[in-house]
Amino acid sequence: MDKAKRYIPYLLLTALTLFFCRMFVGRYGIFGAKVDWLSQHSVLPDYFRQQFYATGKLFPEFAANLGGGQNIYHFAYYGLYSPLILPSYLLPFVKMSDYIMAVSITGLTASVLLFYYWLKSRKTDTGTAFILSLMFLLAGPMIGQYSGQIMFVDYMPFLCLALIGVDRYFEQEKSALFTVSVFLMIMTSFYFSIGGMLSLVLYGLHRYFEQREGNRVTIRSFLRDGLCFVRSMILAVLMSGFFLVPTALALTGGRSKEQNTSFASFFIPQITVERFAYSIYGIGLTTLVITVLLTGLLYRKVYEKVLTYGCVIVLVIPVFAYLLNGGLYIRDKVFIPFLPLLCYLISIYLEKCRKRELSFIAGMIPYIITTIFVYMARNQFVSKGIGESIWKALLAESILFLICYVLYCAMKRHYKEMKEILMLALPSVICLAVTMNTFYQMKPDRYVSRKLYRDVVGEQNRQAVKEALKDDDGYYRTEQAGSDDENAADLNRIWDVDQNITSIYSSAYNPDYQTFRQKTFGLEEPFRNGMMQSVSKNPVFRRMMGVRYIVSDSDVPGYTLVKKCGTTGIYQNKDAAPVMYATDRVMTEEEYKKLAFPYNQTAFLEYAVVGGHTESEDQNIMTAYQPVSLKKADTQDGWKIHAKKMEKTTFSIQQVQQKTAQEKKQENRVLFLKFRVDNAHPNKDVAVWINGIRNKLSAKDHVYYNENKTFTYAVPLKDGEDNISVTFGKGKYRLRHVQAYLGSLPERSELLYQSEIQVDKKQTEDNVIQGTIRVKKDGWFITSIPYDKHFKIYIDGKETEIQKVNTAFLGCKIESGNHELKIIYHAPGTTTGKVLSLIGIAGFLLVLVQEKRKQKIIQGSIC
């Protein structure tokens, strides 16, 4: 009976985890957030699985399907070798999005249960361990990020296992669990594993000094024992080398910008309430944790001081946040791995209260300081636009905790057996449950509705893509287009391994391609996050990138409907450029840089841009598009907008030279429009729609500020259409330096696309593209695959020097004649990483053998 009772807390915690998942998230839709979950964390693992099914390779190097074609380690962060994702390879009949939801809830539950087990193994009282496990469960990032940016927390079960492994290391001198747990943590989320390992070091110091309490510790013995302890983590890092080395090299190629911070400010203590309380992008506990840390500064025992002071130093000195964020910025998300440690510190605090090791004054002063701090920090919330309701709730909570502590101390004198968890810990659990569900982040519009989920992952989309690809032997791209929400969801979505898209959303990316989209060519930016490079509605970009097919529920200007799959149509544009071709119709990069808008875009439909000197033909393309005006857009003041809500209006296109009816009916007419946005309220977003094409300038204080101060549009017009629909988003701003041009796109240029490659699809997979090409004239081999110096091109078996063409893409010189062509991409660091992994595995096995021998010697001496 007693044995059965031990399982009751585990069953209760499991039930409560499922209950809170339903209450916080499930009632609003699926267990997945709109931000990142739908466009990254649920689709990129599916892409990894598809690629494995197609190639049978567990170690891919190239993602030909995404972002025009990129190093696959740009996407490694999203579970390329995650032990949580790899089992899905055995379940081809399960949708990856459904699998991700299931594994997220399972991982959350496992984290809570392992945390409870860890506290119990530390001789924590059952009631205290249970309440703290609930606190751990209800902390902001747990449910908030397990249903959102999963990589922020999905390592948590392995971090809890590693904490148990640290205990086993010190108590039994066994390191296997510790090493394996750290390895799994790295493979699950390498970014957060760094913070996880730092928290393990702090806990290791705590256990080390606890074990040697009362004994003298010399510097020599400390360093020796420390090296033995760290050895386990070093081995785990080495074992992960096959993953870490190529990922590290890929991250150095393209990453979001780092923030400007002075060197001195890195060492000035910085404390924000949000770092500790409620935020899903921080530790996410209540203000009790601040009180506990302040109280811990008064502890006397060395092993308690080490842990408390260590946590305080890491959490308040900005240099640690900067380093843990990879030297990119200072953000609180990297402190999420310290959540178990801080909950553990609360358990130590509660135990001291139970044993009356703290005087009334020493215990009350930290509560008072916390309350004062919350009040003084009220502007932190208002300035971020979060609102007064949050800081008022926090202030009320901190006052409540102070009152509870006073009552606890008063009642403790009369009721000696009174449980401290009821007065000190339970209020935190209640506050977390109420506040997280009422005020902070857990909102209906944060999550994916069931309708949007059905629309996005519906099987008719997959069927439409497969139908589009079925009868086409060329090498083109096929994209999916819909509403802004659908486009955001489909940024990385691949329905078939033969489908190639131009969109990409990743924290790492090919920098040349990113620069081409944002600056050189100037695509529309529909999202506030600059890394969300969406499927474009620009007809010139679509054509030059070889987007022959678009799958959509509505008509696509410039494309012809060729087939329907249910309500989803397959649209084709035969004028789309091949992804790879040979030509001698070129202009130099110097000539290209002289072109003004819109010719910096349209030039790619008539010429390939190459470096060096060329003897090109007459390139007078400056008369193809005539300037036009849009009502008052051509005045010096431009448009002054002060919209309290979205305002929709219609503008007529006024041509400088009157056109005949025949000219107005020309096909492929496009209005090119460009203007600068001066935002009167820089900390608020600005958006403008032209015929449904959105451009957005994000608030300057947004984490991923997109810097999109110049809005550029290429708007396809119907035959005879002379009006455009303009929607001004909410805000106060001014649109200046308006440029507008009207013209018709040329037909597909046979002069440009002289020789199209015939791809051998049987030989083309993973990091290899192979085919034949018949080149009519000496010239250039041009692709719309983003340039990367780690490509190799072989023409008739002979390696050819690669060059950057069209300012950002892969190409090379090529002679006339029939050629066999092979393109190979090798992700840098793969070989080195595998060697390091073998060394790490060998070292790990050697340590296991040594530990086993040591155990036998000890057992023999005892006998």
Side-chain angles (χ1 to χ4, degrees):
M1 187 68 178
D2 290 338
K3 190 174 181 180
K5 284 183 178 179
R6 290 205 299 265
Y7 295 105
I8 293 177
Y10 293 96
L11 294 174
L12 285 174
L13 286 171
T14 300
L16 286 170
T17 299
L18 298 176
F19 169 75
F20 284 117
C21 285
R22 168 64 184 173
M23 186 174 79
F24 283 1
V25 181
R27 60 179 172 152
Y28 300 131
I30 66 167
F31 195 75
K34 290 180 182 177
V35 178
D36 295 354
W37 187 92
L38 198 56
S39 56
Q40 290 181 313
H41 299 286
S42 66
V43 293
L44 287 170
D46 185 53
Y47 174 64
F48 300 149
R49 184 170 68 171
Q50 286 188 59
Q51 199 172 55
F52 171 74
Y53 290 158
T55 65
K57 294 183 179 180
L58 267 176
F59 301 97
E61 297 186 64
F62 189 60
N65 312 80
L66 300 172
Q70 309 227 354
N71 183 338
I72 200 165
Y73 288 95
H74 286 157
F75 312 98
Y77 176 64
Y78 304 98
L80 181 59
Y81 297 113
S82 171
L84 303 177
I85 301 299
L86 291 177
S88 70
Y89 291 15
L90 303 175
L91 305 169
F93 48 86
V94 177
K95 284 183 182 178
M96 181 59 76
S97 49
D98 293 340
Y99 176 85
I100 293 294
M101 284 188 278
V103 82
S104 295
I105 295 174
T106 303
L108 173 63
T109 306
S111 300
V112 175
L113 299 183
L114 286 168
F115 178 77
Y116 175 81
Y117 176 87
W118 174 53
L119 288 185
K120 286 295 295 175
S121 69
R122 296 291 294 134
K123 310 301 181 186
T124 305
D125 173 76
T126 299
T128 302
F130 187 84
I131 290 294
L132 287 173
S133 297
L134 280 181
M135 196 181 298
F136 178 69
L137 163 66
L138 294 171
M142 294 301 283
I143 296 176
Q145 296 296 8
Y146 260 112
S147 59
Q149 292 159 310
I150 303 168
M151 301 306 166
F152 286 20
V153 287
D154 61 355
Y155 56 87
M156 201 62 78
F158 305 119
L159 176 57
C160 292
L161 269 178
L163 290 166
I164 297 168
V166 171
D167 291 335
R168 185 170 296 183
Y169 174 84
F170 284 104
E171 293 167 5
Q172 303 176 23
E173 296 187 2
K174 294 180 179 179
S175 63
L177 179 61
F178 182 30
T179 305
V180 171
S181 298
V182 173
F183 169 76
L184 293 174
M185 185 169 63
I186 293 170
M187 300 305 294
T188 306
S189 186
F190 67 87
Y191 189 90
F192 287 88
S193 68
I194 302 171
M197 286 189 279
L198 180 55
S199 70
L200 291 171
V201 168
L202 292 178
Y203 183 64
L205 288 170
H206 168 73
R207 288 307 319 269
Y208 178 79
F209 285 107
E210 181 184 34
Q211 195 176 62
R212 286 155 180 77
E213 186 181 13
N215 297 325
R216 183 169 176 267
V217 177
T218 65
I219 295 177
R220 184 176 179 179
S221 64
F222 176 76
L223 292 176
R224 183 190 66 240
D225 296 337
L227 286 173
C228 289
F229 177 79
V230 174
R231 178 184 62 190
S232 295
M233 289 191 286
I234 293 174
L235 288 173
V237 171
L238 287 173
M239 290 163 62
S240 309
F242 73 95
F243 171 55
L244 292 180
V245 174
T247 299
L249 292 175
L251 288 175
T252 60
R255 194 69 167 88
S256 57
K257 292 184 178 180
E258 57 186 88
Q259 68 184 34
N260 296 320
T261 307
S262 65
F263 181 79
S265 65
F266 285 139
F267 301 94
I268 299 173
Q270 181 189 85
I271 308 173
T272 62
V273 178
E274 275 203 298
R275 178 167 296 174
F276 298 94
Y278 295 113
S279 173
I280 66 172
Y281 294 99
I283 294 163
L285 292 169
T286 63
T287 56
L288 176 64
V289 71
I290 301 175
T291 303
V292 168
L293 287 171
L294 291 171
T295 307
L297 299 176
L298 305 175
Y299 294 164
R300 296 180 179 179
K301 294 179 179 179
V302 175
Y303 65 90
E304 293 171 343
K305 284 184 176 182
V306 165
L307 186 56
T308 304
Y309 277 81
C311 286
V312 169
I313 290 171
V314 169
L315 293 172
V316 305
I317 304 299
V319 69
F320 289 98
Y322 183 75
L323 293 175
L324 291 174
N325 275 296
L328 296 171
Y329 35 60
I330 295 174
R331 292 184 193 151
D332 296 340
K333 62 184 181 181
V334 290
F335 295 125
I336 296 174
F338 290 85
L339 175 60
L341 270 191
L342 293 172
C343 290
Y344 174 67
L345 279 173
I346 295 174
S347 74
I348 293 175
Y349 170 77
L350 295 174
E351 182 66 13
K352 285 187 174 294
C353 289
R354 186 181 69 82
K355 293 181 178 179
R356 297 188 178 184
E357 293 183 13
L358 297 171
S359 66
F360 175 72
I361 298 298
M364 187 175 67
I365 289 177
Y367 283 98
I368 295 174
I369 294 174
T370 301
T371 304
I372 294 172
F373 172 62
V374 171
Y375 178 77
M376 292 178 63
R378 62 191 182 280
N379 291 330
Q380 292 177 358
F381 300 99
V382 176
S383 63
K384 290 184 178 182
I386 297 175
E388 292 187 4
S389 57
I390 300 300
W391 82 262
K392 286 182 177 179
L394 284 167
L395 184 63
E397 168 217 275
S398 59
I399 294 172
L400 171 65
F401 293 163
L402 172 60
I403 294 171
C404 287
Y405 179 77
V406 173
L407 290 175
Y408 169 77
C409 292
M411 296 175 67
K412 187 76 172 175
R413 295 182 179 180
H414 300 90
Y415 304 96
K416 294 183 179 181
E417 298 301 321
M418 190 192 71
K419 292 288 186 181
E420 63 281 352
I421 57 171
L422 296 176
M423 293 296 290
L424 301 180
L426 188 58
S428 277
V429 172
I430 295 172
C431 286
L432 280 169
V434 173
T435 306
M436 289 301 294
N437 192 45
T438 306
F439 294 110
Y440 212 97
Q441 299 292 347
M442 305 300 183
K443 301 175 182 177
D445 59 354
R446 171 179 164 79
Y447 299 99
V448 180
S449 68
R450 289 178 174 82
K451 180 183 183 305
L452 178 60
Y453 182 64
R454 287 194 298 269
D455 291 343
V456 169
V457 304
E459 282 301 313
Q460 67 180 18
N461 295 320
R462 185 189 304 276
Q463 185 60 35
V465 169
K466 287 183 177 293
E467 285 293 323
L469 295 169
K470 184 174 63 174
D471 298 324
D472 199 312
D473 295 329
Y475 198 76
Y476 294 90
R477 293 189 171 97
T478 302
E479 299 198 309
Q480 189 172 342
S483 66
D484 290 332
D485 282 346
E486 290 170 338
N487 290 343
D490 294 331
L491 284 165
N492 295 310
R493 194 174 303 277
I494 297 295
W495 290 107
D496 187 275
V497 74
D498 290 327
Q499 179 190 5
N500 298 306
I501 62 176
T502 62
S503 60
I504 179 177
Y505 178 25
S506 173
S507 54
Y509 41 76
N510 182 298
D512 288 319
Y513 184 60
Q514 194 86 347
T515 299
F516 180 82
R517 289 182 61 110
Q518 294 181 313
K519 297 180 180 179
T520 306
F521 192 90
L523 285 176
E524 73 271 20
E525 294 272 356
F527 302 113
R528 66 197 310 246
N529 185 338
M531 291 188 292
M532 297 176 71
Q533 294 298 299
S534 174
V535 55
S536 176
K537 296 182 181 180
N538 186 308
V540 179
F541 181 78
R542 283 174 168 174
R543 281 176 59 170
M544 77 157 288
M545 291 297 292
V547 181
R548 172 168 279 191
Y549 299 100
I550 292 180
V551 172
S552 178
D553 290 339
S554 56
D555 291 341
V556 181
Y559 284 72
T560 304
L561 178 65
V562 293
K563 194 170 185 179
K564 277 270 191 179
C565 291
T567 60
T568 301
I570 302 171
Y571 295 84
Q572 183 185 51
N573 184 350
K574 293 183 178 181
D575 288 335
V579 173
M580 295 178 284
Y581 61 92
T583 187
D584 69 339
R585 187 172 172 82
V586 296
M587 70 164 58
T588 66
E589 197 163 322
E590 288 74 16
E591 290 173 310
Y592 172 76
K593 289 177 180 178
K594 295 175 184 177
L595 297 177
F597 175 81
Y599 303 104
N600 66 315
Q601 295 188 3
T602 58
F604 292 109
L605 300 184
E606 300 187 49
Y607 296 92
V609 178
V610 299
H613 176 72
T614 62
E615 295 181 359
S616 53
E617 299 177 14
D618 178 27
Q619 295 166 2
N620 183 20
I621 60 173
M622 300 295 288
T623 59
Y625 304 91
Q626 296 297 321
V628 296
S629 63
L630 303 173
K631 283 192 173 181
K632 298 180 182 180
D634 56 336
T635 65
Q636 188 175 357
D637 290 338
W639 291 321
K640 291 181 179 179
I641 311 299
H642 190 184
K644 295 183 179 180
K645 59 180 181 178
M646 290 176 61
E647 295 181 357
K648 187 174 182 179
T649 186
T650 300
F651 284 83
S652 62
I653 303 170
Q654 300 174 358
Q655 297 178 325
V656 176
Q657 297 178 354
Q658 293 298 319
K659 300 294 180 180
T660 65
Q662 183 65 30
E663 287 175 317
K664 288 184 180 181
K665 291 183 179 181
Q666 288 179 341
E667 295 182 352
N668 295 324
R669 292 170 69 239
V670 176
L671 172 69
F672 293 93
L673 182 62
K674 181 179 181 180
F675 49 78
R676 180 177 173 81
V677 179
D678 291 341
N679 190 359
H681 299 293
N683 290 327
K684 293 184 178 179
D685 292 357
V686 166
V688 178
W689 289 258
I690 308 290
N691 275 19
I693 302 173
R694 179 170 71 180
N695 253 305
K696 177 172 281 193
L697 171 62
S698 57
K700 200 167 185 178
D701 61 353
H702 180 53
V703 173
Y704 299 108
Y705 176 51
N706 67 5
E707 302 182 34
N708 186 32
K709 295 180 181 179
T710 299
F711 287 7
T712 307
Y713 303 84
V715 185
L717 300 176
K718 297 178 182 177
D719 292 347
E721 184 178 9
D722 285 326
N723 295 316
I724 57 170
S725 171
V726 180
T727 302
F728 297 111
K730 182 180 177 181
K732 185 178 180 180
Y733 47 96
R734 182 178 168 191
L735 311 182
R736 298 191 300 115
H737 305 307
V738 180
Q739 301 177 57
Y741 296 85
L742 182 65
S744 296
L745 299 185
E747 295 180 356
R748 177 181 168 120
S749 173
E750 298 304 325
L751 291 175
L752 176 60
Y753 313 125
Q754 294 170 7
S755 307
E756 182 177 347
I757 190 172
Q758 300 299 312
V759 173
D760 185 342
K761 293 190 176 182
K762 292 183 179 179
Q763 299 295 324
T764 298
E765 62 177 26
D766 185 25
N767 62 329
V768 177
I769 301 173
Q770 192 164 326
T772 59
I773 188 169
R774 184 178 181 181
V775 182
K776 296 178 181 179
K777 299 178 182 179
D778 292 354
W780 291 77
F781 177 65
I782 306 295
T783 80
S784 54
I785 299 170
Y787 176 85
D788 188 313
K789 65 182 180 180
H790 298 101
F791 276 109
K792 290 185 177 181
I793 298 179
Y794 295 90
I795 298 176
D796 299 325
K798 183 179 179 179
E799 185 175 351
T800 303
E801 180 184 1
I802 64 171
Q803 297 195 38
K804 193 180 292 185
V805 299
N806 284 347
T807 77
F809 300 93
L810 178 67
C812 68
K813 291 183 178 180
I814 194 168
E815 296 178 352
S816 62
N818 296 329
H819 301 289
E820 290 187 1
L821 197 142
K822 190 174 186 179
I823 302 174
I824 301 178
Y825 182 82
H826 287 298
T830 52
T831 301
T832 302
K834 290 173 184 177
V835 171
L836 290 177
S837 291
L838 291 175
I839 293 173
I841 293 170
F844 175 60
L845 294 175
L846 182 61
V847 169
L848 291 184
V849 171
Q850 289 176 341
E851 288 179 350
K852 194 168 184 180
R853 285 179 179 174
K854 189 175 181 180
Q855 290 293 326
K856 286 183 178 180
I857 293 172
I858 293 173
Q859 290 174 1
S861 63
I862 293 174
C863 294

